[in-house]
Amino acid sequence: MAGTTKTIGAVERAFDIVEALERLESAGASAVADELSLSKSTAYTHLHTLHEQGYLHKTDGEYRLSGQFLRLGTTVQQGYPVYRHGRSHVEDLADRTGERANLVVEERGKGTCVHAANANGASDGAMNRGERRHMHATATGKALLAHLPAERVDAIVETHGLPSFTDHTVTSREALESELAEIRETGIAIDAQESIDGLRCLAAPILVEGTAAGSVSVSGPAREFTDRERDAELSEAVRKAANVIELDFVFE
């Protein structure tokens, strides 16, 4: 008889605490307990355990995430083939266009940023490494959806829905399908203030043997992307970056 696979509550709480510390940056047991509606003793026991294992740093009674997560994150990042092939090209794209550039993969039905770069090494940006976003509302996500099998797109929409993030977000399946068909024809996906008001993004899929290995994008203030000539120039730069990354896979 098939049954539901159980999860371990203590492990779930440990990761809830890790994510709470990401939000709080630094906090004591009381603050973590309040954040997660836990008893102070439960929060303290988990914090102490994570500290003893080296995953938290403690100063003056407050905990923060330790460099262990930096080590793990670097290992995870290096594990994505599209990161290894695309990192330098994304950085070059940012420098050549003067815009924020992102490299994204589909993971668990969401677009996950595996690398981000700004011209001149600036640190601000609309999507950070490790961040996950609904795919229907982002250019990088739509570029991927356009090249996923129909049954996979069905599963993603069924699981995550088509929630609205701005007044411009596409929230109907019919409108999304029409847009995905256009992306397959033009090779460019557009986020016209659909995920964040004031942000415009252009993305292209990275296709390896017909499969979407990832997508690459440039993004910036919508007011600066309104010039038709500039829009065409950025679209071409994104297409070229995707093509170069695809070739990098071929000649690895």
Side-chain angles (χ1 to χ4, degrees):
M1 181 176 67
T4 302
T5 302
K6 294 182 179 179
T7 59
I8 301 172
V11 175
E12 291 175 337
R13 278 192 294 276
F15 280 105
D16 286 343
I17 286 171
V18 166
E19 292 183 354
L21 286 174
E22 180 191 15
R23 294 190 298 273
L24 299 170
E25 295 185 2
S26 177
S30 295
V32 171
D34 290 343
E35 177 77 7
L36 298 174
S37 300
L38 299 173
S39 69
K40 184 177 177 180
S41 62
T42 297
Y44 175 77
T45 299
H46 280 79
L47 288 165
H48 177 71
T49 302
L50 288 165
H51 177 258
E52 288 298 301
Q53 293 298 312
Y55 287 95
L56 300 183
H57 182 75
K58 184 179 180 183
T59 305
D60 298 328
E62 293 207 338
Y63 298 86
R64 62 174 174 79
L65 303 181
S66 78
Q68 287 276 60
F69 288 99
L70 181 62
R71 176 181 61 81
L72 292 174
T74 300
T75 301
V76 171
Q77 190 179 45
Q78 291 287 347
Y80 290 104
V82 76
Y83 169 78
R84 298 195 302 273
H85 291 288
R87 180 189 65 182
S88 63
H89 302 302
V90 170
E91 292 168 357
D92 181 57
L93 176 64
D95 285 337
R96 284 189 292 107
T97 62
E99 306 292 351
R100 173 77 166 186
N102 286 96
L103 187 62
V104 172
V105 299
E106 183 267 317
E107 192 170 79
R108 298 178 69 87
K110 289 191 176 182
T112 300
C113 180
V114 298
H115 191 50
N118 273 316
N120 305 316
S123 60
D124 62 308
M127 193 174 189
N128 298 311
R129 295 174 187 87
E131 188 175 347
R132 289 180 176 178
R133 292 222 180 144
H134 283 76
M135 298 174 72
H136 73 287
T138 63
T140 49
K142 287 186 284 187
L144 289 165
L145 284 174
H147 296 279
L148 289 177
E151 58 271 20
R152 179 63 184 146
V153 177
D154 289 340
I156 289 171
V157 172
E158 184 177 342
T159 300
H160 298 291
L162 299 172
S164 176
F165 298 99
T166 74
D167 291 340
H168 305 283
T169 308
V170 171
T171 56
S172 82
R173 186 62 189 273
E174 184 179 356
L176 178 62
E177 288 296 341
S178 175
E179 193 166 346
L180 296 184
E182 186 175 346
I183 292 166
R184 284 189 289 271
E185 179 143 348
T186 65
I188 289 291
I190 299 171
D191 169 0
Q193 304 188 65
E194 296 164 55
S195 58
I196 298 173
D197 279 317
L199 178 77
R200 184 173 173 87
C201 181
L202 305 170
I206 298 164
L207 302 177
V208 180
E209 296 181 353
T211 300
S215 59
V216 62
S217 71
V218 292
S219 59
R223 65 181 181 276
E224 296 177 11
F225 280 51
T226 52
D227 180 81
R228 190 170 293 181
E229 214 171 282
R230 176 62 171 162
D231 204 70
E233 176 188 311
L234 291 172
S235 295
E236 185 60 22
V238 169
R239 280 194 198 92
K240 285 183 177 178
N243 290 340
V244 170
I245 296 169
E246 290 168 356
L247 286 172
D248 209 74
F249 271 92
V250 173
F251 295 109
E252 65 178 325

